[in-house]
Amino acid sequence: MDLADLFPRIEDVPEKHDIAPLHQRHYLCGGELKPWNGPAEEVCSPVCMRNGKTLEPRVIGSFPSCTEKESMEALDAAVLAYNSGRGQWPTMAVEERIRCVQAFADRMKEKREEVIRLLMWEIGKSHADSAKEFDRTVAYIVDTIDALKELDRVSSRFTITEGIVAQIRRAPLGVVLCMGPFNYPLNETFTTLIPALIMGNSLILKPPRFGVLLYEPLLTAFRDSFPPGVINVIYGDGATVVTPLMKSGRIDVLAFIGSHRVADILKTQHPKPHRLRCALGMGAKNPAILLPDADLDLAVRETITGSLSFNGQRCTALKIIFVHRDIADDYLKRYCAALDSLKAGMPWEEGVSITPLPEPGKTGYLAGLVADAVEQGAKIANGAGGTFAGTLFRPAALYPVNETMRVYHEEQFGPVVPIVPFDDIEDPIEYVIGSFFGQQLSIFGRDSDTMARLIDPLVNQVCRVNINSQCQRGPDTFPFGGRKDSAEGTLSVTDALRVFSIRAVVAAKGGELNNDIIRDIVRNRKSNFLSTDFIL
């Protein structure tokens, strides 16, 4: 079937999955949904509509094109809410902040179907994966609450050392600018937003360039769950609304998930970069290494999922596959058979794997990578691989790929899979060492001695080595980080709480006066910080 024929006519869209245009005309600032009467940015879905032989973009809504004025108003609101650490939110008891976050999660769950539908239409994510993203985000909030309870329980005691009585707890850092990625616009954004909030920081959220509209149903929940100014949501062009925030010097923490190029720009815009804390998730070119004794059934299953889940648009995707030459032909045959069985179609279709790509010009970019590899001697190993229509691109497995090809080096972030044969294990190891990225890799094999020899040096190049399994972020309790240009800081449910806070100590020399003061403060619950309350 021609890929263009997979796109629906407007009358073919199932009623239960169809969407009414959402033209957003508010932004959240200082605890108010402020009306927006200025210019708006139109949102077109990657799900095109078929009109005869023509594919036409479908407008599914619009959002405010805020200016520097609104951006600075949001900053003023966040700074006022934090109030140099004296605001209601940063001085609030941990248990009260937990109640606010739980109230938000309860309100958020009421918007589940609306958010899932917007995820499908705005970024082309399948219904199943959109539902999974929403549910995983809610679960992440619950896990974060549980982790903070445990952290606070450990901190609810006093320490006496060398005659000094002290209590050590974690305190917020200030004003956080939170910017998430388009491929997981809800989940990845919330993995920084929720811990930053719950630790007592105030926050400015700038939604990603795709996946903007899904925040509209959540604005009221944000407003009603937190004190005014604790969370502010602005929209618009990044250069227009983010640059003045960074240049102001009043952003204390940058939480950004995107390219290292943009991260570098943002950091250098801050007038005091040494004071700027950063939690950055950036690029990756995660390799899979198939040793000659690899279980090919297992390896194919894991590398297909690892390289092509959500069209390969994941930072944790397997973006290059090294396979030992002894098994390369067999592996390639099996991989391509599995690849060609993947269903391409629209996000609401049952069992669909390959869906429209949200980035403008992405299919042309991927076609350029394929053409360059073919020109340099690679072949498209699977039937119709590399063909495209509109925003749909049929996955292409390229073999044999070598270092002269762009796809060997560039993070394709899409359904193009470079496969590299090797004879000497030093070849993929040297690739890992020489790469600008250092997030994860996967090794497939059976011999434990060989595995051990590879693991020891490779954990010094990447932050996660996966044995006979694809690269991935979860479980969310595991550390998630990267070396080199892949990340700054480590995120997990527990790590993120530490990233957005700092250890603070209240201490006093032991003695009758100080002991009486501390006893009175604690027994009469006069302080939210100096406390032995135990959260159940």
Side-chain angles (χ1 to χ4, degrees):
M1 176 184 284
D2 190 330
L3 280 179
D5 294 333
L6 297 178
F7 288 95
R9 297 170 299 174
I10 188 70
E11 60 269 24
D12 296 332
V13 178
E15 183 178 350
K16 70 175 183 177
H17 293 304
D18 205 358
I19 190 170
L22 176 59
H23 295 288
Q24 186 174 339
R25 292 298 177 267
H26 293 86
Y27 63 99
L28 180 61
C29 180
E32 297 180 31
L33 289 179
K34 296 200 171 185
W36 175 255
N37 300 310
E41 182 75 19
E42 199 172 65
V43 177
C44 289
S45 173
V47 179
C48 303
M49 296 294 108
R50 183 160 45 89
N51 184 4
K53 296 292 185 181
T54 305
L55 296 177
E56 299 176 348
R58 183 181 182 184
V59 176
I60 58 171
S62 59
F63 59 88
S65 292
C66 293
T67 68
E68 181 176 346
K69 176 177 177 291
E70 291 74 40
S71 178
M72 298 311 290
E73 285 177 356
L75 178 60
D76 290 340
V79 169
L80 180 62
Y82 191 70
N83 192 20
S84 300
R86 296 174 293 176
Q88 176 189 0
W89 186 246
T91 59
M92 187 181 288
V94 170
E95 194 166 12
E96 292 179 44
R97 288 205 298 266
I98 286 174
R99 279 197 287 268
C100 291
V101 172
Q102 183 61 65
F104 170 77
D106 293 340
R107 292 184 174 104
M108 175 180 169
K109 285 185 278 190
E110 297 172 0
K111 303 294 184 179
R112 181 178 186 273
E113 294 306 316
E114 192 173 351
V115 172
I116 288 172
R117 186 176 292 109
L118 287 165
L119 273 168
M120 288 170 51
W121 281 94
E122 194 170 358
I123 64 171
K125 184 168 286 190
S126 72
H127 182 273
D129 284 347
S130 296
K132 187 185 301 180
E133 179 169 350
F134 185 94
D135 294 339
R136 182 180 177 185
T137 303
V138 173
Y140 182 88
I141 297 174
V142 174
D143 289 344
T144 299
I145 290 173
D146 289 342
L148 180 54
K149 286 180 179 179
E150 181 58 30
L151 184 64
D152 194 73
R153 289 166 189 151
V154 173
S155 304
S156 65
R157 60 186 294 272
F158 281 84
T159 298
I160 303 176
T161 304
E162 297 180 8
I164 296 178
V165 182
Q167 188 170 53
I168 305 167
R169 289 183 177 274
R170 301 201 73 88
L173 294 168
V175 177
V176 178
L177 173 60
C178 182
M179 301 170 67
F182 81 84
N183 58 327
Y184 287 90
L186 183 70
N187 183 258
E188 291 283 357
T189 303
F190 272 51
T191 59
T192 57
L193 181 150
I194 292 299
L197 276 176
I198 207 167
M199 293 309 291
N201 303 281
S202 61
L203 194 138
I204 301 168
L205 168 62
K206 162 67 171 66
R209 54 188 176 136
F210 312 115
V212 181
L213 296 178
L214 67 88
Y215 281 95
E216 196 278 340
L218 303 179
L219 289 183
T220 302
F222 279 130
R223 182 197 64 187
D224 296 343
S225 303
F226 301 101
V230 167
I231 180 163
N232 309 273
V233 184
I234 57 168
Y235 304 89
D237 174 66
T240 301
V241 298
V242 174
T243 297
L245 294 175
M246 297 304 297
K247 287 185 174 181
S248 73
R250 293 191 289 168
I251 296 296
D252 299 299
V253 186
L254 172 63
F256 172 79
I257 301 177
S259 73
H260 65 273
R261 180 186 61 82
V262 174
D264 288 344
I265 292 171
L266 294 174
K267 289 177 70 173
T268 56
Q269 288 174 342
H270 199 286
K272 294 183 178 180
H274 64 280
R275 291 179 56 178
L276 179 68
R277 299 289 190 97
C278 293
L280 308 176
M282 298 173 285
K285 184 81 170 175
N286 295 332
I289 302 172
L290 277 65
L291 301 173
D293 63 344
D295 179 331
L296 287 185
D297 289 335
L298 172 62
V300 167
R301 186 165 62 247
E302 290 291 320
T303 55
I304 277 287
T305 306
S307 58
L308 292 172
S309 286
F310 189 38
N311 306 305
Q313 297 171 120
R314 300 180 299 124
C315 68
T316 56
L318 290 171
K319 298 191 177 81
I320 188 165
I321 299 173
F322 290 87
V323 56
H324 194 278
R325 201 176 300 272
D326 288 351
I327 60 170
D329 290 344
D330 194 6
Y331 170 77
L332 193 63
K333 179 181 178 181
R334 298 188 194 200
Y335 183 91
C336 290
L339 189 159
D340 287 338
S341 70
L342 298 178
K343 179 180 178 180
M346 297 300 107
W348 55 80
E349 294 178 22
E350 193 73 28
V352 71
S353 297
I354 305 302
T355 54
L357 304 170
E359 294 178 275
K362 187 68 176 188
T363 53
Y365 166 74
L366 295 173
L369 288 181
V370 172
D372 172 76
V374 170
E375 184 178 332
Q376 301 295 330
K379 294 182 179 179
I380 301 172
N382 59 309
T387 58
F388 64 95
T391 53
L392 263 179
F393 189 95
R394 198 179 297 279
L398 300 173
Y399 180 87
V401 167
N402 60 51
E403 67 277 4
T404 67
M405 304 169 188
R406 289 170 50 200
V407 74
Y408 185 87
H409 306 280
E410 296 180 25
E411 183 189 9
Q412 64 271 37
F413 215 74
V416 172
V417 185
I419 302 175
V420 185
F422 72 91
D423 298 295
D424 187 344
I425 189 60
E426 281 300 312
D427 292 342
I429 290 176
E430 287 298 324
Y431 178 88
V432 173
I433 292 172
S435 175
F436 293 126
F437 303 112
Q439 189 198 78
Q440 298 186 37
L441 59 80
S442 295
I443 309 173
F444 293 87
R446 300 174 188 265
D447 183 67
S448 59
D449 290 340
T450 303
M451 289 285 194
R453 286 195 299 271
L454 291 173
I455 289 169
D456 287 354
L458 290 175
V459 292
N460 297 328
Q461 290 295 324
V462 298
C463 282
R464 177 165 168 166
V465 173
N466 301 277
I467 297 174
N468 289 319
S469 56
Q470 62 174 300
C471 296
Q472 61 188 61
R473 172 171 180 144
D476 286 322
T477 53
F478 286 8
F480 180 61
R483 297 173 181 267
K484 307 178 189 178
D485 288 343
S486 284
E488 182 175 331
T490 300
L491 295 177
S492 72
V493 170
T494 303
D495 287 317
L497 297 176
R498 296 188 176 100
V499 166
F500 293 101
S501 63
I502 190 169
R503 296 218 299 174
V505 183
V506 174
K509 287 185 177 180
E512 187 176 344
L513 174 62
N514 288 341
N515 291 347
D516 287 345
I517 290 172
I518 292 172
R519 273 194 293 265
D520 186 56
I521 290 173
V522 171
R523 286 175 178 172
N524 294 291
R525 291 184 169 85
K526 293 182 177 181
S527 169
N528 287 329
F529 185 96
L530 204 63
S531 169
T532 56
D533 287 349
F534 192 88
I535 301 176
L536 297 175

